[in-house]
Amino acid sequence: MNDLPGTGVSLFSRVTTSFRLNCDRYFPFRRHLIHAIGNVEFHCAIGQLMDNRTRCRGEQRVSAKWNDCYLLAMSTMSSTKAARTAAVALAVVATAVGSWGALGGVSVAAPEGTTPLEYGQTRDVASVPGPGQPEGIAVDPQDGSVWAGSNRPYSSGTLWHWDSAGTLIDTVSLAGHVPAEHGINGVTLDGDGRIYALDYSGSRAVRVDPATGDQSVYATFADLPPCGGVPTQPCEPSIVDRPAWPNWATFDEAGKLYVSDLNQATIWVVPPGGGAAQIWYQNPDFASIYSINGMQFDAARRLTFGVTLSLAADIETIARGSIYNIAVEPDGSPGELRRIAVTGLGDGLAIGASGRIYLASSSPLDNSVQVIDPNLGVMTDSIPHLPERYARSIPYATPASLGFRGTSLILSNHGLFALDPRQYAILELGVGETGLALNYPRGLA
C-alpha cells in the first residue's frame, strides 16, 4: 500500500525526495506564491504533487473518487517534516482536483508529430494578413486547425482559417458586415464544424459553414436602453446608452450559446438553433467601458467569466479586472455569483484540466497570459516571463483570445497599438497541461 494507485511509484519517495530537487522544474512560478503563503517548501510540494495529478486522475476514471487516491497516499506518509509538508500540499491538491473533476465535451489534441512546448515557451504559428488585429480563437477539435477574426475598426469583417501547421487555407468575409467601430470579436465552433463569429456590426452572431460557404445570422443582440428608476422593460445597468457588443461565446452541453456583452454588462443566452438572444444575467457593478469578456464553463458547470475593467466603488477591484463564476440552476437560471480573483486588465480566458484559469492580458503594459489559481484566489504567474515575451521573433502585443491545443494555448497576438504589422500573429504558448473539455453541440438547426 505504498504506491500510488496503478503506478508502482512510491509516493513517499516521489514526494519527500524529488520535490526539493525538482522545485524549479515542477513549480516555476513558486516565487509568486511565497508572499501568499510564505513557505517555499510547501510550494515545491504542491508543484511536485501536481505532477502526479494525472496518475490520480487515472484512478478517478476508474472509481470516480479521486479522494480514494488521496487517502491512500496520505496513509503512506511518515511523520517527517518534509512528508508533513507534502501531505498538506496533497490535501490542497486533492480538494482542488476533486472539486474540479471532468466536464463532458471534447478536449483538443496537439497535431500529430509536434513537439510539446515547455511551460512558458512560445513558438510562432502563423502571420495574420490584413486587415490584422486578430481576435477570437477557435481550435477545431477534429484536426487542430485554427480560426480567428479581425477586430480592426472600420474594416472588413474577415475570418481566417489556418491548418494545424499554420498555413492559411481559407479567408471568409462576413456578408452584410458594415465597417464599424469594431469588427469580429469572439469565435467558436459547433460539433458539425461550423464557425460562429460575433460581429459588432449589426450586433449579431454569424454562422459560417466552411464546407458549403453558406452564411446565416444565427443570433441578434438587442441595443438595451439604460435602466432608470424602476425598469419597465429590458435595459442595461448603465447610465450610458451604448449598443450591444457581443464579445465572447461558449456553448453549454444542451447547445445553448452564452455570449458576453462588453458594452452592456450583460450575459446573453441564445437557444439551440439560434434567434433573438435573451438576457441571462446582469449586474450594475459590471457597468464599465470594458465589461464582461472571456467565458467558459468550469468542471462544476459554473460559468466562469472575466470583467476587464471595474468601475464599481470597491477598493479591491476599481480600475482592475476580476474573474467570477455563476452557478447554473437546474431550471437554467443564474445562481450565486462568486468572485474568484482580482486580476489585471484581462481579455479572453481558457480553463486548464487542473482548473487553473489562463487569462490573456489586454494591458499594453503587460502583454502576457496571467495564470490564476481559483483555489487560492490569486494570480500565480504571468507568462512568458520577462524578457522572453519581448525578446523573440514576434513580441507579445496585447494578446486577446486563447484556446487549448494539446498542452499549449493558441492565442491571438492582437497588436492593439502595434506599429509593425508583423506583430499581428497567432502564437502558441506552452502551459504543461491540457484544457478543460469544451462543448461542441451537433445538429443545431
Side-chain angles (χ1 to χ4, degrees):
M1 297 292 288
N2 288 330
D3 293 342
L4 280 170
T7 68
V9 177
S10 167
L11 179 72
F12 179 83
S13 172
R14 177 81 171 172
V15 172
T16 63
T17 302
S18 299
F19 80 86
R20 290 192 190 91
L21 301 177
N22 296 300
C23 182
D24 285 341
R25 174 184 172 195
Y26 287 104
F27 210 52
F29 46 86
R30 71 201 185 288
R31 64 188 182 279
H32 295 282
L33 289 184
I34 291 174
H35 299 295
I37 302 177
N39 187 321
V40 176
E41 199 168 43
F42 180 86
H43 310 323
C44 297
I46 289 181
Q48 178 63 29
L49 287 160
M50 286 305 290
D51 185 56
N52 286 330
R53 70 186 184 277
T54 54
R55 297 180 174 87
C56 283
R57 285 177 69 83
E59 178 72 4
Q60 181 189 34
R61 286 192 291 271
V62 175
S63 67
K65 292 183 179 179
W66 196 94
N67 283 342
D68 289 351
C69 181
Y70 153 63
L71 291 172
L72 176 62
M74 289 290 285
S75 70
T76 69
M77 290 292 183
S78 79
S79 60
T80 65
K81 177 184 177 183
R84 286 197 304 270
T85 301
V88 172
L90 183 58
V92 172
V93 175
T95 300
V97 178
S99 64
W100 292 329
L103 178 67
V106 179
S107 295
V108 182
E112 200 170 321
T114 59
T115 303
L117 295 175
E118 296 292 330
Y119 176 87
Q121 182 183 3
T122 304
R123 66 176 158 221
D124 303 338
V125 174
S127 296
V128 174
Q133 290 195 354
E135 186 153 353
I137 283 286
V139 181
D140 193 315
Q142 302 300 318
D143 57 16
S145 63
V146 177
W147 288 89
S150 173
N151 190 34
R152 192 175 188 86
Y154 301 103
S155 65
S156 59
T158 302
L159 280 170
W160 299 287
H161 188 198
W162 295 270
D163 67 15
S164 60
T167 301
L168 185 65
I169 56 177
D170 198 8
T171 300
V172 178
S173 294
L174 295 189
H177 174 88
V178 177
E181 184 181 356
H182 304 284
I184 297 172
N185 287 270
V187 295
T188 194
L189 287 159
D190 66 17
D192 298 311
R194 295 173 295 188
I195 188 79
Y196 297 74
L198 300 180
D199 188 9
Y200 182 86
S201 172
S203 300
R204 59 189 188 149
V206 179
R207 182 167 69 185
V208 178
D209 187 338
T212 64
D214 291 344
Q215 297 188 28
S216 60
V217 176
Y218 184 76
T220 55
F221 305 89
D223 180 357
L224 302 171
C227 297
V230 179
T232 58
Q233 60 181 335
C235 59
E236 63 168 299
S238 173
I239 60 173
V240 179
D241 187 10
R242 295 188 297 167
W245 186 355
N247 190 71
W248 192 277
T250 189
F251 282 107
D252 71 4
E253 66 276 12
K256 290 185 288 187
L257 186 66
Y258 290 75
V259 177
S260 64
D261 191 325
L262 197 61
N263 268 353
Q264 298 188 125
T266 296
I267 297 175
W268 301 92
V269 64
V270 180
Q278 304 298 311
I279 295 171
W280 185 71
Y281 180 81
Q282 293 180 315
N283 192 323
D285 288 342
F286 299 159
S288 172
I289 55 174
Y290 297 111
S291 181
I292 304 171
N293 209 314
M295 303 192 303
Q296 184 179 336
F297 285 97
D298 69 8
R301 201 175 170 265
R302 296 170 298 203
L303 186 61
T304 300
F305 63 92
V307 172
T308 295
L309 176 64
S310 174
L311 299 181
D314 183 335
I315 192 64
E316 291 187 29
T317 62
I318 191 166
R320 303 187 67 188
S322 296
I323 301 290
Y324 298 84
N325 64 31
I326 305 178
V328 180
E329 299 295 341
D331 64 358
S333 63
E336 179 184 3
L337 175 73
R338 182 174 73 98
R339 187 168 71 202
I340 297 173
V342 177
T343 68
L345 305 182
D347 202 324
L349 61 78
I351 303 177
S354 68
R356 284 189 289 271
I357 300 166
Y358 298 88
L359 179 69
S361 172
S362 58
S363 169
L365 302 179
D366 186 5
N367 302 303
S368 73
V369 173
Q370 299 175 1
V371 185
I372 294 110
D373 186 323
N375 242 28
L376 298 175
V378 295
M379 183 181 74
T380 58
D381 205 0
S382 183
I383 53 177
H385 300 137
L386 293 171
E388 287 84 359
R389 72 184 68 155
Y390 300 119
R392 61 178 320 277
S393 54
I394 300 177
Y396 276 65
T398 57
S401 307
L402 63 178
F404 271 93
R405 189 172 73 181
T407 57
S408 292
L409 291 168
I410 305 298
L411 59 91
S412 58
N413 206 42
H414 182 61
L416 180 60
F417 301 105
L419 299 177
D420 184 349
R422 288 175 294 184
Q423 287 187 274
Y424 303 143
I426 305 300
L427 305 178
E428 179 180 359
L429 173 64
V431 294
E433 68 167 323
T434 57
L436 191 66
L438 297 175
N439 295 298
Y440 299 95
R442 292 181 178 273
L444 296 175

